[in-house]
Amino acid sequence: MSLTRRQVTSAALAAVPLAGRSPRTSRTLHIAGDSTAAQKYADAAPETGWAMALPFFLRKEVGVANHAVNGRSSKSFVDEGRLDAILAGIRTGDVLIVQFAHNDEKATDPARYTEPWTTYRQYLRRYVDGARSRGARPVLATPVERRRFDADGNAQPTHGDYPAAMRALAGEEKVPLLDVQGLSLALWQRLGAEETKTYFNWTATEQDNTHFNPPGAIAVARLVAQELLRTRVPARPDVVRLHEDVPASWITWPPAPAP
């Protein structure tokens, strides 16, 4: 599937460093993922992708290029040419963080579905190989957990074998693994069924247990930054504010790009 003019424009906007950043950064963290990470625009507020908050935890010289797009799987992202678009601009020393599974799980949709131990791993390997071929560093991130609790108030995993399949691939390929799934599940458990509603996109008209509002996006971005530091992907001085309050008011939603 070829990219439409709007898709190309959106991708270009997503790859531009955030306002206030120098265009000459020491390195750029590229994000390939789905709606849980994606840039949201004014018409979607207060929904917030976690990658929108990631720059708050990185020093200003480190750029973030958020290529994540709503509704994509590891397969459809590649099939639409989005991985190729990233690889065309990625530079030696950059990082490619890959987080997919939410839409790979859609077994009734052949355009997006992948099987965890076969096609999911095959597509993830294309991101790994592509980044390495450009001198960039691939990083795999297990999918952030949805908000789901059982009758006893226990947070429930929702991603089946996909996190385990990604962990296995990371081990085989010696790729840093960010355990966002495990850490987010533990966080939802600590917060509990009621308090987690204030982290997800619950509004007067919507009860969304998959996508985040600003506090939720900031909390998940903090987990990602912690994992980046743990796996030594950036230098220690590159990670900031891990133990500081980040106000929800720092999140902003730009106007949607023109069709």
Side-chain angles (χ1 to χ4, degrees):
M1 180 188 298
S2 59
L3 299 181
T4 66
R5 179 176 298 176
R6 176 169 183 168
Q7 289 169 336
V8 170
T9 301
S10 299
L13 287 173
V16 173
L18 297 181
R21 292 189 184 278
S22 166
R24 298 184 65 183
T25 55
S26 57
R27 73 166 63 179
T28 299
L29 305 185
H30 297 263
I31 314 293
D34 54 35
S35 59
T36 60
Q39 173 70 53
K40 310 298 179 179
Y41 298 97
D43 57 354
E47 185 177 325
T48 309
W50 62 256
M52 294 169 62
L54 186 59
F56 304 147
F57 298 100
L58 301 169
R59 67 185 179 97
K60 64 180 182 179
E61 289 80 11
V62 180
V64 174
N66 186 3
H67 305 272
V69 181
N70 292 1
R72 271 52 179 190
S73 69
S74 65
K75 177 182 187 298
S76 63
F77 196 94
V78 169
D79 291 348
E80 292 177 4
R82 297 179 184 277
L83 174 59
D84 288 340
I86 294 174
L87 297 179
I90 205 166
R91 299 177 301 176
T92 298
D94 283 354
V95 173
L96 176 59
I97 302 174
V98 183
Q99 183 211 248
F100 289 103
H102 287 77
N103 299 300
D104 290 75
E105 300 163 9
K106 299 183 184 299
T108 59
D109 184 353
R112 294 187 286 181
Y113 176 66
T114 61
E115 194 280 328
W117 294 103
T118 56
T119 47
Y120 179 60
R121 285 160 49 91
Q122 290 165 11
Y123 274 98
L124 291 179
R125 190 172 274 111
R126 293 178 67 168
Y127 295 81
V128 171
D129 293 344
R132 284 175 168 166
S133 73
R134 302 306 196 276
R137 188 174 189 185
V139 174
L140 297 177
T142 55
V144 61
E145 269 298 348
R146 302 177 176 95
R147 178 186 173 275
R148 183 177 297 175
F149 289 83
D150 65 17
D152 296 320
N154 297 309
Q156 298 296 295
T158 66
H159 292 300
D161 282 346
Y162 290 88
M166 179 182 278
R167 291 185 187 102
L169 178 63
E172 293 169 13
E173 293 290 335
K174 296 180 172 55
V175 173
L177 179 83
L178 314 182
D179 190 14
V180 181
Q181 185 267 336
L183 291 175
S184 59
L185 184 66
L187 176 59
W188 308 150
Q189 180 66 47
R190 289 197 302 273
L191 292 170
E194 287 303 310
E195 190 173 352
T196 47
K197 293 177 183 178
T198 66
Y199 284 65
F200 283 79
N201 191 33
W202 276 53
T203 67
T205 58
E206 189 172 11
Q207 296 179 354
D208 183 345
N209 294 310
T210 298
H211 304 99
F212 308 109
N213 62 13
I218 290 167
V220 175
R222 191 187 302 272
L223 297 180
V224 172
Q226 289 172 344
E227 285 289 273
L228 286 170
L229 185 59
R230 180 187 65 80
T231 54
R232 301 180 180 180
V233 172
R236 180 172 293 274
D238 287 342
V239 180
V240 299
R241 298 192 188 92
L242 279 184
H243 307 293
E244 299 177 19
D245 179 56
V246 173
S249 61
W250 288 10
I251 296 288
T252 59
W253 299 267

